[in-house]
Amino acid sequence: MGRADQQLRLIAEAVQVAGALGVSVWLRGGWAMDFFLGEITRDHEDIDWFAWADDAGALAEGLLLHGHQPVPGPLPDLQLDFSKDGLDNSFTLLDRDTAGRVVVAGGPWAGAPWPEGMLDAGPGRIGGLQCAIVSPHAQIEIKRMMPVWDPSRPRRTKDAEDIARLEAALHAHGNRSERGS
C-alpha cells in the first residue's frame, strides 16, 4: 500500500472519529485541494486539518484511542500533531472572535482572522471518501499569504503549483456554470 493510500485511510479514520464525537474537522492544504479536484495530484508529506479549539480535548482522546500518538510540536493551544503508522496528522485549532469571525485559536497569532468563508465549502471527495474541506478560494489565499503572515515559512514551488491547479479548476467550473452545464 502506497503512502497516498495509507493517508486516505487515515483521513477516513479521522473523519469517522470526529463524526462519532460530533466534532467538525476540515481538510486543509494539499489534501483539501485534492479532495476539491477529486483526484490525487501529488505526493503529500502529511495531512493538515482545521478543528475547533473547544473540541481539541475530545478529538485528541478519540485519536489516541485509535492508535494515534501525540507528536511534540507547536503550542498545544495552536495545533495538535499526531502520528500513526509513520504518517503525520496536524490539526490547527480555530476559534471565533466577538464578531463571529474564524480566527487563530492560540500562539503568537491568536485572534488573527482566517480568510472569510473558509469553512463554507461543500465537502470534497476522492472516490467514495467524502470530507469537509477548506474552500478553494481560502486555500489559495492561505498559500499566497503564509510567507507574508509568517516570514519564517518561505514560498514553496508546490504551493505555486497548487494555486495554479485550484485557479484552473475554479476558472473551468465558472465557465461551465456560465454556459449552464
Side-chain angles (χ1 to χ4, degrees):
M1 182 184 296
R3 179 157 71 171
D5 290 331
Q6 291 175 309
Q7 287 174 322
L8 285 169
R9 184 178 45 77
L10 285 181
I11 290 168
E13 182 175 84
V15 167
Q16 183 271 325
V17 167
L21 295 168
V23 169
S24 296
V25 294
W26 295 264
L27 274 176
R28 64 185 185 90
W31 274 114
M33 174 191 67
D34 283 1
F35 270 69
F36 172 70
L37 297 174
E39 64 181 347
I40 300 170
T41 61
R42 62 174 172 82
D43 184 52
H44 300 282
E45 295 171 22
D46 57 8
I47 305 164
D48 296 311
W49 300 89
F50 279 122
W52 294 112
D54 289 348
D55 295 331
L59 182 60
E61 262 185 55
L63 292 170
L64 291 171
L65 289 172
H66 282 82
H68 294 256
Q69 298 300 313
V71 175
L75 302 170
D77 62 343
L78 174 66
Q79 182 170 304
L80 301 176
D81 294 331
F82 295 92
S83 181
K84 182 175 180 179
D85 301 330
L87 300 170
D88 295 331
N89 265 317
S90 295
F91 294 83
T92 297
L93 303 177
L94 304 172
D95 201 356
R96 287 197 186 271
D97 65 11
T98 55
R101 293 177 302 188
V102 177
V103 298
V104 176
W109 300 282
W114 283 104
E116 189 72 29
M118 178 176 82
L119 306 179
D120 297 340
R125 174 184 304 275
I126 292 181
L129 180 56
Q130 182 173 299
C131 182
I133 61 170
V134 171
S135 78
H137 293 289
Q139 292 178 61
I140 291 168
E141 183 176 345
I142 291 167
K143 285 180 176 289
R144 279 201 176 118
M145 294 303 298
M146 192 55 69
V148 174
W149 296 334
D150 183 356
S152 71
R153 301 197 47 184
R155 296 197 183 278
R156 303 176 300 184
T157 301
K158 71 178 183 177
D159 291 329
E161 292 166 351
D162 289 354
I163 289 167
R165 281 187 192 103
L166 287 165
E167 287 178 333
L170 288 168
H171 179 75
H173 183 267
N175 287 343
R176 280 195 303 272
S177 295
E178 291 166 16
R179 291 191 307 263
S181 52

